[in-house]
Amino acid sequence: MIRDITIGQYYPAKSVLHRLDPRVKLVSTLLYLISLFLFKSIPGYIMATLFLFGVIRVSKVPFKHIVKGLRAVVMLLMITVIFNLFLTRDGAVLFHKWIFTITEGGLRTAVYMTIRLIYLIIGSSLMTFTTTPNELTDGIEKLLYPLNKLHVPVHEVAMMMSIALRFIPILLEETDKIMKAQIARGADLESGNMIQRAKSMIPILVPLFVSAFRRANDLAMAMEARCYRGGEGRTKMNPLHYKTRDRIAYIVVIVYVIGVFFVGRYVPLGIWIF
Amino acid sequence: MSIRLENLNYVYSPGTAYEKHALKDVSLTIPHGEFVGIIGHTGSGKSTLIQHLNGLIRATSGQIYYNEENIYQDGYNMKELRSQVGLVFQYPEHQLFEIDVMTDVCFGPKNQGLTLDECRERALEALRLVGLKEKYYKASPFELSGGQKRRAAIAGVLAMRPRVLVLDEPTAGLDPKGRDDILEQIAYLHRQTDMTVILVSHSMEDIARYADRIIVMNHGEVMYNDEPKKVFAHFRELEEVGLAAPQVTYIMHDLKERGLAVDTGVTTVEEAADEIMAAMR
């Protein structure tokens, strides 16, 4: 039941994207997210769409799987649409009834913001689909390493992140198990009003917290037993090195960002649909 | 009063990279009052199988009949099924949550809609059945030792007065004494009430001692479904799938090979001892 949450979960496949250096993927994702806000015209959207679909093709993650992940953020998208649609007052009025007014500008912003948000979510989930949590934190640690000089505890932060990420599936599984155990004892998790439903979560949350603490304790013990004492002097089993494909990937992304910037700004097709 | 499974199939996460065919065409009948042992190594589908018995998992295809009623038909009362088929999960102590043992054991009966007095009565009965001492009834479940916690958790399921008790590795993580205690208690329960007991384990010794019938699972399929001595006669095949017959089976076969006229079908140490004594005379 709870396994259906696919947003941000690693999807094992054999693709170039999976093999890329995590730093490339982190930086590229960041650049892609920024690029989504660099253009304001149809050609820009077309380019961003083509690029995104190209990357999805290369990633070998099934399109269906990616869309499934979007279901978790439908609420957020709805709120964005509603707010932009009704609260933006710009241009000709298209619809007016009681307190609801839709303007041309509002409709435009709503549509484009939704597209941007969806692309943003797909773009970043593509990174997590193709990068294991361990690779990801490895990449972050290496990228942020210069901050060490400013006394930022980069290694510790990265370690905390990787532990947190590692615990997500464990705790999901644990929740699933506890839910089943309580349902087997006749717990009713679905019916009743808000308060009753909140109350019915107690038999799940209490054991879940207890088990989270137990696991944290076990992990701390296991780390100490293996002489973990922070990042100082710690070496990597698989140190990150840029390879040719990583350099090519950087070039592709940078070309795309520059392209989208100029296309979005200077291609004369700068007309809006509406 | 029986459970009947017909061509049960279950596939985890179909259509994704994590797809796994956990149960393949499982057909079984478990008559009322039997003590059944289900055995199989990790990932053989035994835990998945038992979660079907009270409708926690819905089969991808196939049917389950409880008392000749199809549990997948529209309008079937799943809640009633879950109080008839009590399921004790692995490490059941991880589901304890109430402020004291008594209240926790009352959780099941309370969900069945019983009055407070009835809940207490059933909880007391269940706690006595699992042999938990009275001084612990008012203690926080988190203060108990591992074995006591497990007893309390099993009582939590028993308090619902199930007709069928399914236990998923009830002895995992217990010391030898705790393990024997729990198993003895379960066997005692089975003798005292006319409950069907389904015991999942990966220890042949445990199962051989108590079960009337053994179901061996391998890669999601039922490999054997027979009385213990007939299953153990296949000890070479069992070894091939990473299981083993009880040690006495090996000893008896060895003795027979060396010329001692013993019955190789015995399943417990006591029977084996008697058999050897008889053969020596």
Side-chain angles (χ1 to χ4, degrees):
Chain A
M1 43 187 111
I2 209 155
R3 279 165 201 268
D4 295 337
I5 302 170
T6 51
I7 186 167
Q9 249 191 53
Y10 181 67
Y11 186 94
K14 280 195 169 68
S15 78
V16 189
L17 216 58
H18 282 78
R19 279 194 305 266
L20 279 183
D21 188 298
R23 287 173 292 176
V24 180
K25 285 185 268 190
L26 275 162
V27 172
S28 307
T29 309
L30 195 68
L31 285 175
Y32 180 73
L33 300 190
I34 295 169
S35 83
L36 285 176
F37 295 89
L38 285 180
F39 53 81
K40 277 183 121 182
S41 64
I42 306 282
Y45 279 103
I46 293 173
M47 242 186 111
T49 310
L50 288 177
F51 182 75
L52 187 64
F53 276 85
V55 175
I56 291 176
R57 272 301 283 282
V58 171
S59 77
K60 289 189 184 158
V61 179
F63 190 64
K64 240 171 74 189
H65 192 73
I66 295 171
V67 176
K68 226 165 80 186
L70 275 178
R71 275 200 307 216
V73 290
V74 164
M75 270 314 273
L76 183 78
L77 290 175
M78 293 298 277
I79 292 169
T80 319
V81 169
I82 289 165
F83 272 66
N84 277 306
L85 198 58
F86 292 111
L87 297 181
T88 316
R89 297 280 151 82
D90 181 21
V93 174
L94 299 173
F95 174 84
H96 180 79
K97 198 164 206 178
W98 193 40
I99 52 163
F100 299 109
T101 313
I102 298 177
T103 61
E104 202 184 299
L107 187 62
R108 187 193 297 154
T109 335
V111 169
Y112 288 122
M113 271 318 265
T114 313
I115 296 178
R116 274 183 183 157
L117 258 181
I118 292 176
Y119 284 11
L120 207 127
I121 292 160
I122 293 182
S124 39
S125 53
L126 257 182
M127 174 180 71
T128 46
F129 279 144
T130 59
T131 321
T132 62
N134 276 340
E135 286 174 345
L136 207 63
T137 42
D138 228 25
I140 291 172
E141 190 177 348
K142 192 94 184 240
L143 273 177
L144 299 182
Y145 189 72
L147 289 179
N148 235 343
K149 293 214 169 62
L150 300 171
H151 298 289
V152 178
V154 174
H155 170 80
E156 279 70 18
V157 172
M159 181 55 95
M160 278 189 255
M161 268 187 62
S162 65
I163 291 173
L165 286 170
R166 179 71 194 87
F167 264 51
I168 292 171
I170 291 179
L171 288 180
L172 276 180
E173 206 170 294
E174 190 86 14
T175 315
D176 194 57
K177 237 167 58 190
I178 295 170
M179 271 168 87
K180 278 183 179 162
Q182 305 299 27
I183 292 172
R185 290 168 80 193
D188 188 357
L189 306 176
E190 269 127 34
S191 52
N193 59 29
M194 279 285 266
I195 297 169
Q196 280 166 327
R197 267 160 77 175
K199 259 189 161 167
S200 71
M201 292 314 280
I202 295 173
I204 292 160
L205 289 180
V206 174
L208 190 62
F209 268 93
V210 172
S211 110
F213 278 108
R214 189 183 56 241
R215 282 179 190 279
N217 250 329
D218 288 353
L219 181 67
M221 198 82 94
M223 284 169 83
E224 268 183 12
R226 284 183 250 172
C227 303
Y228 178 78
R229 47 182 185 80
E232 214 172 307
R234 204 175 152 82
T235 54
K236 296 260 179 227
M237 190 164 147
N238 300 308
L240 294 173
H241 290 301
Y242 282 126
K243 299 199 180 66
T244 319
R245 58 167 177 260
D246 299 313
R247 295 195 185 92
I248 295 171
Y250 268 135
I251 293 168
V252 169
V253 172
I254 289 166
V255 166
Y256 155 75
V257 173
I258 295 171
V260 104
F261 180 76
F262 282 103
V263 167
R265 220 147 264 243
Y266 300 112
V267 167
L269 267 167
I271 34 144
W272 297 96
I273 289 178
F274 312 106
Chain B
M1 291 295 247
S2 66
I3 300 173
R4 188 154 54 89
L5 314 181
E6 271 180 11
N7 305 95
L8 214 61
N9 277 286
Y10 186 71
V11 184
Y12 273 108
S13 318
T16 70
Y18 298 101
E19 181 172 309
K20 190 172 178 257
H21 204 150
L23 291 180
K24 292 173 200 152
D25 254 342
V26 173
S27 297
L28 287 174
T29 308
I30 298 169
H32 187 71
E34 210 178 26
F35 196 127
V36 182
I38 300 181
I39 200 161
H41 56 84
T42 321
S44 59
K46 51 192 192 325
S47 291
T48 311
L49 176 67
I50 57 164
Q51 286 179 38
H52 280 85
L53 300 181
N54 68 350
L56 278 177
I57 298 183
R58 202 196 159 97
T60 312
S61 72
Q63 303 300 336
I64 300 178
Y65 297 89
Y66 179 70
N67 293 341
E68 295 308 315
E69 262 189 278
N70 190 337
I71 69 163
Y72 292 143
Q73 74 197 5
D74 287 334
Y76 188 83
N77 189 349
M78 274 293 178
K79 216 168 164 176
E80 180 56 29
L81 175 71
R82 284 178 192 145
S83 65
Q84 297 260 324
V85 182
L87 178 54
V88 179
F89 275 84
Q90 233 177 78
Y91 297 100
E93 59 271 27
H94 292 177
Q95 74 193 27
L96 299 169
F97 68 98
E98 278 288 2
I99 43 168
D100 60 45
V101 171
M102 191 70 192
T103 327
D104 202 285
V105 176
C106 283
F107 181 68
K110 211 171 77 194
N111 288 328
Q112 288 175 303
L114 300 175
T115 64
L116 208 65
D117 284 338
E118 285 173 312
C119 289
R120 281 190 58 86
E121 189 193 316
R122 288 213 183 173
L124 280 173
E125 180 197 74
L127 283 166
R128 267 198 291 271
L129 275 173
V130 296
L132 197 69
K133 289 204 187 80
E134 213 172 321
K135 61 176 174 185
Y136 297 122
Y137 294 180
K138 283 286 154 209
S140 160
F142 301 105
E143 288 167 4
L144 306 183
S145 74
Q148 289 161 345
K149 272 188 200 167
R150 190 155 301 178
R151 280 163 195 267
I154 294 176
V157 174
L158 283 177
M160 299 174 78
R161 285 206 191 140
R163 310 286 295 142
V164 180
L165 182 66
V166 188
L167 300 118
D168 191 357
E169 308 228 3
T171 57
L174 293 183
D175 54 45
K177 168 130 190 354
R179 189 192 64 203
D180 289 346
D181 284 352
I182 292 265
L183 287 174
E184 276 303 329
Q185 207 82 53
I186 293 165
Y188 170 78
L189 269 173
H190 181 242
R191 282 194 303 270
Q192 288 295 308
T193 60
D194 62 340
M195 212 165 24
T196 311
V197 176
I198 301 173
L199 178 70
V200 175
S201 174
H202 53 227
S203 157
M204 274 294 184
E205 252 84 18
D206 291 353
I207 284 205
R209 182 182 297 249
Y210 303 104
D212 303 324
R213 191 152 60 96
I214 296 182
I215 295 165
V216 181
M217 298 285 297
N218 185 37
H219 294 301
E221 284 171 294
V222 175
M223 190 176 171
Y224 298 113
N225 175 8
D226 216 332
E227 51 185 289
K229 62 172 151 191
K230 288 192 182 146
V231 170
F232 296 146
H234 299 282
F235 65 95
R236 297 203 201 287
E237 288 92 334
L238 288 173
E239 270 172 22
E240 273 167 34
V241 299
L243 296 167
Q247 284 167 356
V248 288
T249 307
Y250 293 95
I251 292 173
M252 296 313 256
H253 275 275
D254 262 9
L255 286 174
K256 188 158 194 188
E257 255 171 50
R258 291 173 199 204
L260 196 65
V262 288
D263 174 16
T264 53
V266 298
T267 51
T268 64
V269 178
E270 291 77 16
E271 283 171 14
D274 291 345
E275 187 65 31
I276 294 169
M277 289 300 284
M280 296 293 278
R281 270 196 205 108

